[in-house]
Structure formats: C-alpha cells, structure tokens
Amino acid sequence: PTPKSNASSSSTKSSAVSNQEAMSNIELQDSNAYKKALDLVIKRKYDVALKALQQYLSNFPNGEYKDKAHFWSGEIYFLMKNFKLAQNEFNLVITDSPKSPRVPDAKLKIALIHLQQGQQSLARTELSSIKKLYPNSTAAQLAIIQLKQLAL
C-alpha cells in the first residue's frame, strides 16, 4: 500500500468516527430537549411546556420521543379544554407512531374527548376498541370503567 492509500483509509475511519460522534450528539440533543420539555410538564408550567414540546417536534420531527411529545401536547391541550387540538395531537401519536406504547392511552384520551363533547356513541365505540385491542393495558382497564359508567 502506498502512503496515499493509508491516508485514505485513515480518513475513512476518521470520517466514520466523526459521523458516529455527530449521531451521538444529535441523539443527546434530542433526549435533552425532550427531557427539558417534560420537566416543564411535570412542574405544571403548561404554556411553556407546550412551546418546548412544539419546539422539540420542530427540531426533531423524527426524534426518539416524537410520540411522547405529541402525547404530552395533547394532554396539555386537553387540560386547557382545547379538545380539537388535543385530538389532533393524540391522532398523531396513533398515525405517526402506531407501535408506540402511548397508542392505547392516546385512544383513551380521544374517547374522553368524545365524552366531553357529548358524543357517547363515538366514545363507546372507541372504548370498546381499546378493551378489545389492548386487553392487558391500563387504558383497557380505564376503558372498562368508563363503559360501565356509560351503562348507568
């Protein structure tokens, strides 16, 4: 091998290492941004948390915590009684991250939105679906309770 090819090989290895470091840095930024937003949710600083979650989603549209960011945005909108925006966020959890462990909870929240809006039939359908599709989930247990209350 000529010195030139050694330099090229060394350059390739160096490039691979720097790519790994860049990915690790992006993953760290992703994680830190989400954790900061979640901390604001936990502290019940909802307006600021919502902005931080939306900023996270803007900066990391395919981030590791995308499903959680949409879920918590939906939760905040739900607490603010902005059911349309809450439902949009919960639907994004379901459609964009169908394998997310947050899906049953997002479906439950949509059912609760239907109840808030006086749409018992839609709520009942959603609750029954949760019970059937996710029988061992906490969301299913809560759905069963809601269905019993609707039957009263």
Side-chain angles (χ1 to χ4, degrees):
T2 64
K4 193 172 197 174
S5 68
N6 278 343
S8 175
S9 173
S10 173
S11 164
T12 303
K13 287 178 187 173
S14 174
S15 176
V17 169
S18 65
N19 283 344
Q20 281 181 324
E21 288 172 356
M23 285 303 292
S24 291
N25 189 31
I26 290 169
E27 290 167 359
L28 185 61
Q29 289 174 13
D30 176 341
S31 176
N32 286 341
Y34 174 74
K35 286 177 183 172
K36 284 179 185 175
L38 184 59
D39 188 49
L40 293 167
V41 173
I42 292 166
K43 291 178 179 174
R44 296 183 174 158
K45 297 181 177 184
Y46 297 131
D47 289 336
V48 182
L50 190 57
K51 288 177 186 165
L53 289 163
Q54 297 306 317
Q55 186 65 49
Y56 168 83
L57 290 165
S58 175
N59 291 344
F60 303 98
N62 297 309
E64 183 177 345
Y65 305 97
K66 174 176 77 167
D67 60 327
K68 293 176 177 84
H70 282 299
F71 182 83
W72 286 112
S73 295
E75 282 282 0
I76 293 169
Y77 285 129
F78 187 89
L79 289 170
M80 295 174 156
K81 302 208 181 308
N82 189 334
F83 299 125
K84 182 179 181 183
L85 290 178
Q87 188 167 351
N88 288 344
E89 293 294 335
F90 294 130
N91 277 326
L92 285 170
V93 173
I94 296 163
T95 58
D96 289 1
S97 306
K99 295 183 191 259
S100 167
R102 287 285 183 195
V103 168
D105 299 321
K107 287 179 168 277
L108 179 64
K109 286 297 185 168
I110 289 171
L112 295 176
I113 289 168
H114 292 320
L115 287 174
Q116 289 287 326
Q117 296 174 328
Q119 300 169 324
Q120 274 74 11
S121 178
L122 283 174
R124 193 174 283 111
T125 301
E126 191 70 55
L127 293 166
S128 295
S129 168
I130 295 164
K131 187 175 116 179
K132 181 180 177 184
L133 294 173
Y134 312 99
N136 298 320
S137 69
T138 302
Q141 301 309 309
L142 295 170
I144 291 167
I145 293 167
Q146 287 293 326
L147 284 166
K148 286 180 182 174
Q149 290 177 350
L150 284 171
L152 298 178

